[in-house]
Amino acid sequence: MVLLRRATLLLLLAGALLLAAPARARAQRDSGGAGGGVLSVSPAGDGDGNGDGDDGAEDGDGRNDVPGDDEDDAGGGADTTPRAPAPPQTETTTIPLEAAAQESADTSSKEEPVANPGRLPQYRLTNRGGETCILMEMDAVVGIFYEMKSKERRDLEEYVDDVEPTGFCKDDEAQLIIAWKAFELRWSFSKTPGGERWYVNLIELKYDKSDSTLFENASSVEDVTLSSRQAHGATLFPTPVGKSYHCQSEYKVELGPSSGHGSDSATLLLRAFRMQPFMFKPTFGPAFECSAGGAAKFRDETAPIAVGSTLAVVVLLTVTGYGVYRYFKIKKVQYDTME
């Protein structure tokens, strides 16, 4: 009776083990598929649970075995356990930081330098020793009004070109000449009698009207000279010696016939300019800013000096004459006749 009970318990235990084995295998397959791989269990149970490749090599089909799959392996059937698809492989290129920095530096160094569009045309005149004696920067336009054969007046605008100037420099006088196409613009500079200031005493514009490409249907083809003295006198842009005259405001210099006769006239428009004659160094001196209304003017100091000198001479002559008169008047008096 005891033996029968033991045999029955052994049969029940064996049946329970046989029923539990497939469920355990399915759970292991499910857990292995969720992890992206198959967990291999060796029949001997090496206990590491890592799915060593040695276990799969024993089958000869290159796959790791799972308990319960022996029927498929023996029958030659394919393993139908679902597996997660492998992620697509993308080829990546790693660039060292030093190489990336060098590539960026090379790219920046290849960029074209940006030109300065705000640069003004500059005119520099040097003396025989190579030293700068006149320096001028300006954005200037000349507007010329001339008469056509039809008796109509025409307006011609010409930008003052950026060319190499000519001229001369002396102690108290200097001249800058800018010549382009059929035009010639002359700037004459002088100093006041005391030498404390310099100023522009004359601006002249000369041009040849025989150039039909510029002066279309002109009524005459003679050479024309226009001067600033007709409208502005002999003094423009007075500035202390050693300083440069600077003005950002627009300023118009009216030019009329130098002889007082003629139908042509012109306007020199200075939109931004800086100038300095009688220089002591190759760069501009401290800026002497123009007034709010544009270029400043001052009266000619020659007349006041002449009037003052004349008055001084008259006073001196008067005092001298009175002294001579008193000398001879007193000498005629005879003191011995006085009682």
Side-chain angles (χ1 to χ4, degrees), residues 34-243:
V38 178
L39 178 63
S40 63
V41 180
S42 60
D46 55 3
D48 55 2
N50 294 329
D52 296 336
D54 297 336
D55 302 331
E58 295 175 358
D59 294 335
D61 59 355
R63 295 192 300 269
N64 296 333
D65 290 340
V66 179
D69 288 350
D70 297 338
E71 297 83 5
D72 297 335
D73 295 340
D79 188 5
T80 59
T81 304
R83 291 179 174 84
Q89 296 183 356
T90 57
E91 184 178 356
T92 58
T93 303
T94 304
I95 302 177
L97 295 178
E98 296 79 1
Q102 181 65 30
E103 182 179 355
S104 177
D106 295 341
T107 303
S108 61
S109 62
K110 293 178 182 178
E111 295 179 356
E112 295 293 335
V114 179
N116 182 11
R119 176 185 174 274
L120 297 177
Q122 188 177 89
Y123 309 92
R124 183 187 300 271
L125 183 65
T126 57
N127 54 24
R128 294 181 179 179
E131 299 175 348
T132 302
C133 60
I134 301 177
L135 186 59
M136 180 184 297
E137 290 181 352
M138 65 176 179
D139 180 15
V141 180
V142 176
I144 301 174
F145 301 90
Y146 68 95
E147 189 178 79
M148 303 176 65
K149 293 179 180 179
S150 60
K151 301 302 180 181
E152 297 180 356
R153 290 182 64 81
R154 184 178 179 181
D155 179 14
L156 172 65
E157 286 191 355
E158 275 289 328
Y159 284 91
V160 179
D161 205 353
D162 189 359
V163 296
E164 190 71 22
T166 59
F168 66 87
C169 295
K170 297 181 180 179
D171 291 339
D172 297 329
E173 295 181 358
Q175 188 176 83
L176 183 72
I177 304 174
I178 304 172
W180 78 103
K181 294 182 181 179
F183 306 95
E184 184 178 280
L185 186 63
R186 292 174 176 260
W187 294 75
S188 297
F189 303 90
S190 296
K191 287 183 181 180
T192 56
E196 295 87 3
R197 296 187 176 219
W198 63 263
Y199 60 94
V200 177
N201 65 357
L202 179 64
I203 300 177
E204 282 186 330
L205 177 65
K206 297 183 178 182
Y207 54 89
D208 183 7
K209 292 174 65 177
S210 62
D211 190 346
S212 59
T213 59
L214 296 172
F215 300 92
E216 184 179 358
N217 296 325
S219 59
S220 60
V221 293
E222 76 276 7
D223 294 339
V224 179
T225 300
L226 304 178
S227 171
S228 62
R229 287 182 178 173
Q230 300 299 321
H232 303 276
T235 54
L236 283 170
F237 317 119
T239 307
V241 173
K243 292 187 177 183

